[in-house]
Amino acid sequence: MRNTILLEKDWTFYKNPQSESGEAVTLPHTWNAVDGQDGGNDYYRGTCKYVRHFVKPELEKGGRAYLEFDGAAMTADVVVNGTKLLHHEGGFSTFRVDVTEQLTEDNLLEVYVDNSNNTKVYPQKADFTFYGGLYRMVKLVTVPKVHFVMDYAGGNGMKVTPEVTILDAAEKQADADVTVELWMTGEAPDVTVDVAGETQTVPVENGYARAVFALKNVHLWDGVDDPYLYTAKAELPGGDVVERTFGCRSFKVDPREGFFLNGRSYPLRGVSRHQDRAGAGNALTYEMHREDMAIVRELGANTIRLAHYQHAQEFYNLCDENGIIVWAEIPYITMHMTDGTENTLSQMKELIVQNYHHPSIVCWGLSNEITAATPVDEDLLENHRLLNDLCHKLDKTRFTTMANVFMQETDSPLLEIPDVNSYNLYFGWYLGELEQNDEFFDEYHAKYPDRCIGFSEYGADANPQYQSTNPTHGDYSETYQTVYHEHMLKMIEERPYLWATHVWNMFDFAADGRDEGGKHGVNQKGLVTMDRKLKKDAFYLYKAYWNKEDAFVHICGSRYVDRKEDTTEVKVYSNQTTVSLYVDGTLLETQDGSRIFRFAVPMTGEHEIVAKAGAEEDSIHIRKVEEANPDYVMGEIKDVINWFDDEPYKPECYSIKDKMSEIKASPKAGAILAELMAQAPGAESRGDVAESVKDNPNLVRMMGRMTLESMLGHMKDSITEEQVKGLNRMLQQIKKGE
């Protein structure tokens, strides 16, 4: 019989493997839980050692013992009783090592784990912390002499493939042929397989067996509506047993109508997620995974992009159980390494073999923003071809995709490799204006109407401490994050051809190299804070759009208490159609609408604001102040808006409100712009950016669509208000067309 022993406790951790003193730890564990989240990009990356003893397990005659590691980041060397047995490269997948021949009554296990820089193992360059450690569970598994294979890419020797025929999509009627493939070690005459109450005993030939079950009127795995799961079970005569849960579903993507599940339109609208949490790093417990899923379900999302690597089996299981459609990918990210091809292939092989059975997964992601730091050359293209071919060889049921950086040319040969494509766009945050997101997809879809396109990343950082009456990109305010996502949700809703959209990110996450927005070491684009304790206002906007089941009402701005304005906007999000706002117990106004409700509230002192929608209500406290609260603003932010409030404006002449391309097209206006940009403080530090713009026609076009005002908003630290006003006055002397 198979037996599994958790090796959770009694570990000693040595940050310096040569040290004689260590620290007692319990798994899961990472050595970067603190220094990987505090900023400075100085977290420890190197080799550390984990040590523990274990007693020799009982083995049947001819039985084998394996050590199973659910994740060791980023590389691991396993040593038992002084003998090195395995070197594994890749920090996110399960791997095993046969320890049978090294066993004594008392056994010394040493695991050397390394997250240092190298040129072979991904990831090496990306906007997140590369935690080191035994951050998932370690197990001791014993199997009988004849057993299902333990040595192939971390799998369990079982592959379940349902082929579904939809008979009536509306009535959810379907049949399915379920093929169960099995691989064994040792001599076995046959194997018994059970699926859906049906049992077959099939012969074993050369360590392989295959059984096919024809299921009539199959119960579909139907996304969040009905995520029904079957179990396939196989047993060998010697007693070894393996199981896989699976789901019966069909899916496809259409370049004009988006994603289909079980024969009906099923727009994929959801979020991305890192395996990360404040104070824990990537050493997550099952309870933490469950909490994350509960928050995702509250939001109403139906898809998750599990970025940028293989996640824990516990979370894939939760996606299966909750009907969440998954984009799964490997950490082939940001920078192509010429020595890393084999590692991308091995990580992809492990990802697919270990996760093939999950009905939640519909696609394999080849790479993410791989051209951000690497040009498209033949070596990069060939790496992607090999990955794409490997995916289709191992899995003929799912499609491949990739997430392209915004500046990637849409006619690049790279986009021809995967089955479908997606783009990461940040117009309205890192550069440009919100409307450029709309323009990008409209132009792409018009040019490539037969290509499927998705929206794999979009977002804006928000520190909940920062609030604003006049929010703008770059202010890191919670207020601007809502403005940003209000636009994006409307844009997405109007473009049903987008096969999937994923907010970046569900949760704030560690990026130790970051120091911005008032926090060190954190990417703050999450809809929820890194500790999961605070849901930002934008969270409730998505809940208003996506959660159709749980009635709620939410008042934005609960952290914007001190308000200087005489009349303040109170914004309410709700999935109900009627909202009433009360000020100090008196009804101010009742509005009928959808999702977003805006109320003008006169400010005279301290006020209790209550919003009611049916039986649901929410309240906030605000007060009138004479001076703006400086704690609501990040440093010395220059407000690059309303430049014309105190001076005349001639629309027939050029101004900073015109697009960059329009100004550059005029010899006179373009010359003025060029001179100011050359003289602006800090211009010399933008040499690399300028060079990349010059060499990237796609980016040149994108920037040309920006207004000069928007561009100046991204230069707050290098240009003054007076310079901007002076520039505008000069432009206002030039009539358009001159």
Side-chain angles (χ1 to χ4, degrees):
M1 296 292 291
R2 180 175 297 221
N3 187 40
T4 300
I5 303 168
L6 296 182
L7 302 183
E8 180 181 10
K9 301 177 180 179
D10 302 321
W11 290 89
T12 303
F13 169 72
Y14 298 84
K15 190 171 184 178
N16 179 357
Q18 309 306 318
S19 175
E20 294 183 358
S21 61
E23 172 191 358
V25 299
T26 298
L27 302 187
H29 176 264
T30 175
W31 62 76
N32 298 124
V34 176
D35 67 357
Q37 302 181 346
D38 61 0
N41 203 31
D42 57 354
Y43 65 101
Y44 182 71
R45 297 184 66 181
T47 301
C48 298
K49 181 172 69 171
Y50 292 84
V51 177
R52 68 157 288 163
H53 289 261
F54 67 94
V55 177
K56 181 180 180 179
E58 292 186 12
L59 294 175
E60 299 178 18
K61 184 178 180 180
R64 311 298 294 181
Y66 287 82
L67 285 171
E68 180 175 291
F69 297 82
D70 290 343
M74 296 294 171
T75 67
D77 292 292
V78 181
V79 179
V80 177
N81 297 328
T83 300
K84 180 179 173 179
L85 300 179
L86 180 73
H87 175 74
H88 183 264
E89 296 183 339
F92 308 101
S93 55
T94 296
F95 62 94
R96 303 187 187 96
V97 55
D98 189 337
V99 299
T100 310
E101 305 305 327
Q102 280 69 41
L103 291 176
T104 62
E105 290 305 313
D106 181 68
N107 300 276
L108 176 64
L109 170 60
E110 299 169 280
V111 188
Y112 295 82
V113 186
D114 185 359
N115 70 335
S116 60
N117 287 303
N118 64 74
T119 61
K120 295 177 54 182
V121 182
Y122 289 94
Q124 292 299 323
K125 184 178 179 66
D127 184 30
F128 59 93
T129 296
F130 306 150
Y131 295 101
L134 288 179
Y135 71 99
R136 294 182 188 152
M137 197 52 62
V138 178
K139 306 162 189 171
L140 180 62
V141 182
T142 62
V143 293
K145 181 179 180 180
V146 181
H147 57 269
F148 296 98
V149 297
M150 298 283 285
D151 303 304
Y152 182 69
N156 75 342
M158 173 184 277
K159 184 177 182 181
V160 183
T161 305
E163 296 180 71
V164 176
T165 301
I166 302 297
L167 304 175
D168 188 324
E171 297 297 324
K172 301 182 181 181
Q173 293 181 357
D175 295 337
D177 290 331
V178 179
T179 301
V180 181
E181 297 174 274
L182 299 149
W183 291 264
M184 282 72 67
T185 298
E187 297 295 328
D190 52 44
V191 59
T192 300
V193 187
D194 181 88
V195 172
E198 298 183 22
T199 301
Q200 296 184 28
T201 298
V202 293
V204 176
E205 297 182 7
N206 299 317
Y208 173 79
R210 179 176 180 268
V212 180
F213 296 82
L215 304 184
K216 299 296 184 181
N217 194 27
V218 70
H219 195 153
L220 292 170
W221 187 91
D222 202 41
V224 294
D225 294 336
D226 186 12
Y228 186 85
L229 294 170
Y230 289 92
T231 299
K233 179 180 178 182
E235 184 173 1
L236 289 166
D240 195 28
V241 177
V242 292
E243 293 183 352
R244 285 297 201 201
T245 57
F246 69 96
C248 294
R249 79 283 186 268
S250 73
F251 58 86
K252 70 173 186 177
V253 286
D254 183 89
R256 295 169 179 81
E257 299 180 75
F259 189 83
F260 283 72
L261 178 67
N262 297 328
R264 73 184 192 281
S265 176
Y266 193 83
L268 297 182
R269 303 293 179 254
V271 297
S272 296
R273 181 219 189 213
H274 267 295
Q275 55 173 30
D276 195 8
R277 185 176 286 231
N282 63 349
L284 304 181
T285 65
Y286 182 61
E287 289 71 24
M288 293 174 180
H289 290 302
R290 284 180 59 88
E291 183 180 10
D292 280 6
M293 178 55 68
I295 295 172
V296 171
R297 294 292 291 118
E298 180 189 349
L299 189 74
N302 64 8
T303 180
I304 298 179
R305 182 182 173 205
L306 291 180
H308 290 295
Y309 37 73
Q310 183 170 332
H311 284 231
Q313 283 299 312
E314 291 88 345
F315 200 79
Y316 290 111
N317 292 340
L318 286 168
C319 290
D320 290 347
E321 295 163 6
N322 286 274
I324 301 295
I325 299 287
V326 170
W327 166 330
E329 64 188 38
I330 59 171
Y332 186 25
I333 181 171
T334 307
M335 177 181 68
H336 172 72
M337 300 186 297
T338 56
D339 296 333
T341 298
E342 287 304 315
N343 185 246
T344 66
L345 296 172
S346 65
Q347 292 206 50
M348 183 65 79
K349 182 178 181 180
E350 291 176 329
L351 175 69
I352 295 175
V353 170
Q354 294 171 27
N355 296 283
Y356 183 91
H357 64 289
H358 291 293
S360 56
I361 298 175
V362 300
C363 61
W364 306 115
L366 305 182
S367 65
N368 177 77
E369 297 188 352
I370 198 62
T371 58
T374 309
V376 177
D377 58 19
E378 182 55 30
D379 196 63
L380 181 144
L381 290 171
E382 181 61 15
N383 202 150
H384 282 78
R385 294 187 196 106
L386 291 170
L387 280 170
N388 197 60
D389 291 345
L390 177 64
C391 291
H392 290 136
K393 178 182 177 181
L394 295 174
D395 185 358
K396 302 183 186 306
T397 70
R398 296 178 173 93
F399 58 90
T400 57
T401 189
M402 62 187 299
N404 296 281
V405 67
F406 73 94
M407 65 185 71
Q408 177 59 50
E409 293 278 8
T410 58
D411 60 356
S412 169
L414 184 61
L415 273 71
E416 298 174 5
I417 296 174
D419 299 318
V420 306
N421 274 288
S422 286
Y423 263 83
N424 301 347
L425 303 182
Y426 288 95
F427 296 119
W429 181 244
Y430 287 128
L431 82 167
E433 301 172 59
L434 286 166
E435 292 74 18
Q436 287 182 260
N437 296 286
D438 314 39
E439 294 171 8
F440 177 92
F441 284 117
D442 288 343
E443 291 184 7
Y444 186 99
H445 188 56
K447 187 175 182 179
Y448 304 106
D450 296 323
R451 280 189 187 176
C452 295
I453 185 67
F455 200 1
S456 39
E457 285 186 27
Y458 64 98
D461 290 76
N463 183 334
Q465 176 182 331
Y466 301 146
Q467 306 290 330
S468 176
T469 304
N470 298 300
T472 185
H473 57 74
D475 66 7
Y476 289 85
S477 71
E478 185 179 20
T479 324
Y480 180 74
Q481 190 185 45
T482 65
V483 172
Y484 174 94
H485 285 291
E486 285 171 11
H487 178 92
M488 302 308 282
L489 273 165
K490 184 175 183 295
M491 186 275 291
I492 290 168
E493 195 170 56
E494 293 172 349
R495 290 160 178 83
Y497 58 81
L498 294 171
W499 74 265
T501 64
H502 295 94
V503 178
W504 191 259
N505 198 283
M506 183 72 243
F507 307 103
D508 292 349
F509 61 91
D512 199 53
R514 285 187 173 240
D515 186 5
E516 58 182 327
K519 288 190 179 179
H520 307 296
V522 181
N523 186 313
Q524 298 182 83
K525 292 184 183 66
L527 304 178
V528 180
T529 54
M530 196 172 169
D531 58 9
R532 280 51 169 179
K533 293 181 179 179
L534 190 152
K535 296 166 182 169
K536 304 176 189 179
D537 285 337
F539 173 93
Y540 295 95
L541 171 67
Y542 280 90
K543 186 175 179 178
Y545 268 78
W546 292 347
N547 189 322
K548 311 298 184 183
E549 305 297 325
D550 306 314
F552 84 99
V553 63
H554 172 80
I555 306 177
C556 299
S558 63
R559 287 165 284 279
Y560 184 25
V561 178
D562 297 331
R563 307 192 182 199
K564 185 181 178 180
E565 58 267 26
D566 295 328
T567 299
T568 193
E569 179 183 82
V570 173
K571 187 162 57 179
V572 178
Y573 296 148
S574 180
N575 56 6
Q576 305 300 290
T577 57
T578 301
V579 172
S580 298
L581 197 77
Y582 295 80
V583 179
D584 302 327
T586 300
L587 176 64
L588 175 72
E589 186 182 357
T590 296
Q591 292 183 12
D592 294 326
S594 176
R595 300 157 178 163
I596 306 171
F597 303 81
R598 305 177 190 273
F599 300 87
V601 177
M603 297 288 293
T604 58
E606 299 204 15
H607 301 289
E608 188 74 18
I609 310 296
V610 177
K612 295 183 179 181
E616 308 301 318
E617 69 175 61
D618 189 28
S619 64
I620 66 170
H621 176 79
I622 58 177
R623 58 176 169 256
K624 180 78 164 65
V625 295
E626 294 300 318
E627 300 293 333
N629 191 331
D631 292 338
Y632 293 167
V633 180
M634 182 189 66
E636 297 182 4
I637 289 189
K638 303 180 181 73
D639 196 9
V640 190
I641 60 172
N642 300 323
W643 293 108
F644 310 119
D645 285 353
D646 57 354
E647 43 190 86
Y649 168 56
K650 296 180 288 185
E652 68 274 13
C653 296
Y654 289 102
S655 76
I656 65 170
K657 290 190 176 295
D658 291 317
K659 292 181 178 179
M660 297 274 286
S661 58
E662 296 170 348
I663 297 174
K664 289 180 178 180
S666 165
K668 292 182 180 179
I672 292 172
L673 173 61
E675 182 180 358
L676 180 125
M677 296 294 285
Q679 297 177 354
E684 66 280 358
S685 67
R686 299 193 298 274
D688 291 343
V689 174
E691 199 65 26
S692 68
V693 170
K694 182 182 72 173
D695 296 336
N696 193 312
N698 198 39
L699 189 56
V700 170
R701 289 193 297 272
M702 293 176 186
M703 294 183 69
R705 295 169 183 158
M706 297 171 58
T707 65
L708 178 53
E709 183 179 28
S710 176
M711 175 61 76
L712 294 170
H714 294 281
M715 299 171 55
K716 298 177 185 123
D717 295 331
S718 60
I719 193 166
T720 67
E721 178 175 340
E722 286 307 312
Q723 284 178 305
V724 175
K725 287 186 175 181
L727 170 63
N728 190 65
R729 293 186 190 111
M730 288 188 284
L731 291 173
Q732 284 276 278
Q733 302 304 310
I734 305 171
K735 288 188 176 181
K736 293 180 178 179
E738 291 186 1

